[in-house]
């Protein structure tokens, strides 16, 4: 399934190909995502970036050795989190131009979530250490 996405000013447009017919969404509570987006990142899990329009408006900021955060350099909209070793894109769900339904399946870096908010959805929750362990195991397989 493919769905279209765009930034606030419309300079950047692209399609996201979703791997499954029942797409899933996750929340990241880490302090970097919260600073980047102004709140927790609600992300589409592992979509493919396709058919980019306005590529010159996309700036990639290397936020760590293993990740890039893409944004529109005209309006500042956060466009994607790119996990370099896994070559995986994660997109903020708010970029979508349609009202697709998602299953809110998990929350990561739950140990970095501040106490002043919580989500009531039933999800699988992982701490930062559990997330890193998970990716190390994936790398070995
Ligand atoms: Zn823009
Ligand atoms: Zn995060």
């Amino acid at each position: 399934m493919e769905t279209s996405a765009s930034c606030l000013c419309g300079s950047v447009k692209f399609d996201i190909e979703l791997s499954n017919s029942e797409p899933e969404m996750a929340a990241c509570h880490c302090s970097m995502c919260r600073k980047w987006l102004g709140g927790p990142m609600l992300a589409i899990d592992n979509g493919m970036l396709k058919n980019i329009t306005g590529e010159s408006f996309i700036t990639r900021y290397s936020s760590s050795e293993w990740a890039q955060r893409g944004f529109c350099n005209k309006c500042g909209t956060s466009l994607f989190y790119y996990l370099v070793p896994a070559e995986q894109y994660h997109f903020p769900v708010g970029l979508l131009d349609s009202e697709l339904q998602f299953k809110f399946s998990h929350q990561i870096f739950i140990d970095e979530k501040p106490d002043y908010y919580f989500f009531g959805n039933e999800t699988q929750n992982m701490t930062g250490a559990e997330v890193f362990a998970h990716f190390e195991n994936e790398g070995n397989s």
Side-chain angles (χ1 to χ4, degrees), residues 120-141:
N121 307 64
E122 265 186 44
T123 58
Q124 187 198 340
N125 298 341
M126 294 167 91
T127 64
E130 286 167 345
V131 170
F132 285 119
H134 178 77
F135 280 113
E136 272 164 26
N137 291 339
E138 263 195 355
N140 293 338
S141 66

Side-chain angles (χ1 to χ4, degrees), residues 27-34 36-37 39-41 69 81 108-109 112:
C28 182
H29 300 285
C30 84
S31 58
M32 291 175 78
C33 281
R34 286 187 290 112
W36 185 45
L37 291 158
M41 180 171 182
R69 293 172 190 262
Y81 173 93
I108 60 170
F109 287 86
E112 292 190 29

Side-chain angles (χ1 to χ4, degrees), residues 61-62 71 80-81 133:
Y61 167 65
S62 295
F71 63 94
F80 54 78
Y81 173 93

Side-chain angles (χ1 to χ4, degrees), residues 10-27:
S11 297
V12 179
K13 292 186 167 69
F14 52 82
D15 292 329
I16 301 169
E17 187 176 321
L18 303 161
S19 36
N20 51 91
S21 54
E22 216 192 330
E24 296 191 355
M25 190 193 85

Side-chain angles (χ1 to χ4, degrees), residues 68-90:
Q68 297 173 341
R69 293 172 190 262
F71 63 94
C72 171
N73 56 39
K74 189 173 177 191
C75 71
T77 299
S78 300
L79 300 171
F80 54 78
Y81 173 93
Y82 178 60
L83 188 59
V84 179
E87 297 180 27
Q88 268 178 12
Y89 282 95
H90 300 271

Side-chain angles (χ1 to χ4, degrees), residues 1-6 13-20 23-24 43-53 55 58 60 79-83 86-92 95-96 100 102:
M1 190 191 343
E2 255 177 50
T3 185
S4 66
S6 56
K13 292 186 167 69
F14 52 82
D15 292 329
I16 301 169
E17 187 176 321
L18 303 161
S19 36
N20 51 91
E24 296 191 355
I44 300 165
D45 240 20
N46 199 11
M48 294 237 294
L49 177 58
K50 301 184 91 177
N51 308 323
I52 305 168
T53 307
E55 189 146 21
I58 301 176
R60 289 170 183 254
L79 300 171
F80 54 78
Y81 173 93
Y82 178 60
L83 188 59
E87 297 180 27
Q88 268 178 12
Y89 282 95
H90 300 271
F91 303 93
L95 298 180
L96 296 192
L100 261 187
F102 287 88

